[in-house]
């Protein structure tokens, strides 16, 4: 049984579902979604043509971590009693994955943790993700680490070597699958262009080599002053580089949108080279990311995906559980520091050598074959 509930989890678990389904002689594959992200989750399921066997549909307005945890835990209790899977596979560091792992543990069903061993060792950064993944790591019987460093974290914590396998990250499998799908389908390309136009951005603007900075921001720990700093830096960069487009698909959370309006004003529709657009579904986002010059983000997954497309990533966080990318040179931490954001974006836009160094660094997160390695490991158990 594969369990996931948010859009990032769905993206990273979808290619694993497809890989298991190729081996129906060995596995009965059951998909359970919690609906922690409802609309965004459904978009990913549609792209990968996955129909869940079970859907907890827990999403409610103004739910907090107590609500999500308790609803997933209670919902999974009944499903696991009914299905009794041989192993429950969860992903990463969401509340869905931790509560599902705990539910499986309560029924003594082995748990496989995909993307295991990421650590900052600061339980409040990122919050609640760092504690989520540590808890899930304690429960897991099988640990699928994306990199040797994440494996080493687990070994230091006392996890036995035979319980860990290094696979690469399944997000690269998903990314390459989607990029191929887009490149080989002219009709889909035209549909994505139209989708972006209706969202507020025309990619034809990039036809003559115009540069574009793609921005995402949604982390809880950046709410408040951090977001004001980020938005102020972005606003000043749009003035400094009037020939560069800056695109920001805005998260729906009011804590994200409020500082945007405070810095840029109530009307976001006529800001020259700054484009605030509604959140994008995965296909459109990958299409836009592939056309970007730089990605400025506080997301975890994008630190893995963008380098797979040769895009330098500036991370608006003070810590990262993905230090392999820092070591490889594919990403750089800038936090929510105004000066660091402005200086580093400027350097990448102006200094070709600096840009080449980051864009051509080897992505440490894999070759797009992680799902095959996970399926082979489970098949041998």
């Amino acid at each position: 049984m594969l369990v996931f509930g948010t859009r990032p989890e769905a993206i990273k678990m979808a290619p694993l579902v497809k890989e298991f389904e190729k081996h129906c002689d060995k596995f009965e594959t059951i998909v359970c979604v919690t609906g922690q992200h409802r609309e965004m989750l459904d978009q990913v399921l549609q792209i990968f043509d996955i129909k869940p066997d079970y859907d907890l549909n827990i999403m409610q307005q103004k739910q907090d971590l107590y609500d999500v945890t308790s609803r997933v835990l209670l919902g999974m209790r009944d499903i696991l009693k009914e299905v009794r899977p041989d192993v429950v596979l969860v992903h990463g560091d969401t509340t869905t994955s931790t509560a599902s792992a705990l539910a499986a543990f309560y029924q003594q069903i082995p748990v496989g943790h995909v993307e295991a061993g990421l650590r900052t060792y600061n339980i409040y950064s990122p919050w609640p993700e760092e504690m989520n993944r540590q808890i899930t790591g304690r429960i897991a019987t099988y640990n699928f680490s994306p990199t040797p460093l994440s494996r080493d974290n687990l070994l230091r914590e006392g996890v036995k070597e035979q319980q860990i396998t290094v696979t690469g990250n399944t997000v690269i499998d998903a990314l390459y699958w989607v990029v191929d799908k887009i490149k080989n389908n002219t009709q889909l390309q035209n549909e994505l262009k139209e989708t972006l136009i209706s969202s507020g951005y025309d990619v034809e603007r990039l036809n003559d080599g115009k540069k574009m900075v793609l921005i995402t921001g949604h982390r809880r720990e950046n709410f408040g002053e951090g977001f004001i700093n980020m938005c102020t830096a972005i606003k000043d960069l749009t003035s400094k580089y009037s020939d560069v487009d800056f695109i920001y698909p805005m998260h729906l959370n009011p804590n994200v949108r409020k500082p945007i309006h405070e810095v840029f004003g109530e009307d976001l529709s006529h800001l020259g080279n700054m484009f605030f657009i509604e959140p994008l579904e995965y296909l459109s986002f990958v299409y836009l990311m592939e056309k970007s010059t730089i990605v400025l983000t506080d997301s975890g997954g994008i630190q893995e995906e963008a380098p797979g497309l040769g895009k330098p990533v500036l991370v608006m966080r003070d810590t990262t559980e993905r230090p392999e990318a820092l070591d490889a040179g594919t990403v750089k931490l800038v936090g929510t520091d105004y000066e660091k954001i402005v200086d580093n974006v400027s350097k990448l836009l102006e200094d070709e050598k600096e840009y080449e160094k980051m864009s051509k660094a080897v992505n440490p997160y894999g070759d797009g074959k992680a799902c095959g390695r996970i399926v082979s490991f489970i098949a041998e158990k």
Side-chain angles (χ1 to χ4, degrees), residues 98-354:
T98 302
S100 299
L102 191 57
F105 167 72
Y106 284 161
Q107 296 188 39
Q108 298 187 19
I109 298 169
V111 171
H113 189 195
V114 181
E115 198 182 81
L118 278 64
R119 296 289 185 270
T120 65
Y121 293 109
N122 176 348
I123 65 170
Y124 296 113
S125 179
W127 176 84
E129 287 84 357
E130 175 65 16
M131 183 49 76
N132 281 345
R133 53 182 164 242
Q134 289 196 34
I135 293 169
T136 305
R138 298 303 297 167
I139 294 170
T141 300
Y142 310 118
N143 299 273
F144 302 105
S145 292
T147 66
L149 180 59
S150 47
R151 175 198 60 202
D152 292 346
N153 288 339
L154 293 171
L155 290 172
R156 277 195 301 273
E157 291 170 17
V159 179
K160 292 174 183 162
E161 196 160 358
Q162 60 266 34
Q163 291 180 285
I164 312 168
T165 185
V166 177
T167 60
N169 200 304
T170 60
V171 76
I172 308 300
D173 300 38
L175 181 71
Y176 290 164
W177 188 90
V178 166
V179 167
D180 282 347
K181 182 178 170 119
I182 294 169
K183 281 186 175 169
N184 296 318
N185 190 329
T186 308
Q187 184 185 339
L188 178 57
Q189 290 171 31
N190 292 331
E191 285 171 11
L192 292 171
K193 283 179 189 174
E194 289 303 315
T195 299
L196 284 165
I197 287 170
S198 63
S199 298
Y201 187 74
D202 184 355
V203 293
E204 300 290 337
R205 290 173 60 91
L206 304 172
N207 281 355
D208 297 322
K210 179 191 271 282
K211 293 178 177 178
M212 182 261 282
V213 178
L214 180 59
I215 304 157
T216 75
H218 69 280
R219 295 228 59 82
R220 285 185 184 90
E221 64 265 30
N222 288 340
F223 291 168
E225 187 183 351
F227 259 97
I228 294 288
N229 292 344
M230 286 158 53
C231 291
T232 306
I234 293 161
K235 185 178 183 183
D236 290 352
L237 282 163
T238 63
S239 300
K240 186 178 180 183
Y241 298 101
S242 56
D243 57 337
V244 176
D245 281 355
F246 292 78
I247 307 176
Y248 191 156
M250 294 181 292
H251 200 278
L252 296 170
N253 192 316
N255 288 309
V256 172
R257 297 201 169 201
K258 185 169 177 281
I260 287 172
H261 285 293
E262 281 180 31
V263 173
F264 286 89
E266 284 307 308
D267 184 7
L268 302 176
S269 58
H270 302 290
L271 296 171
N273 59 329
M274 179 75 238
F275 298 86
F276 288 102
I277 62 177
E278 290 305 308
L280 297 172
E281 49 84 20
Y282 183 56
L283 274 180
S284 298
F285 187 79
V286 170
Y287 180 68
L288 201 54
M289 184 163 58
E290 209 268 331
K291 293 185 176 300
S292 70
T293 308
I294 303 164
V295 179
L296 185 60
T297 186
D298 63 7
S299 163
I302 291 172
Q303 294 174 50
E304 300 157 346
E305 292 173 294
L309 299 174
K311 310 299 176 181
V313 184
L314 298 175
V315 183
M316 296 183 290
R317 283 164 56 176
D318 297 319
T319 59
T320 181
E321 62 287 352
R322 293 166 169 85
E324 303 93 331
L326 289 177
D327 295 340
T330 56
V331 315
K332 191 178 283 187
L333 288 182
V334 294
T336 56
D337 183 293
Y338 170 90
E339 298 291 344
K340 282 186 182 174
I341 295 170
V342 171
D343 289 350
N344 281 278
V345 172
S346 300
K347 194 181 288 184
L348 287 171
L349 288 174
E350 293 177 21
D351 187 334
E352 251 179 75
K353 282 188 182 171
E354 190 68 23

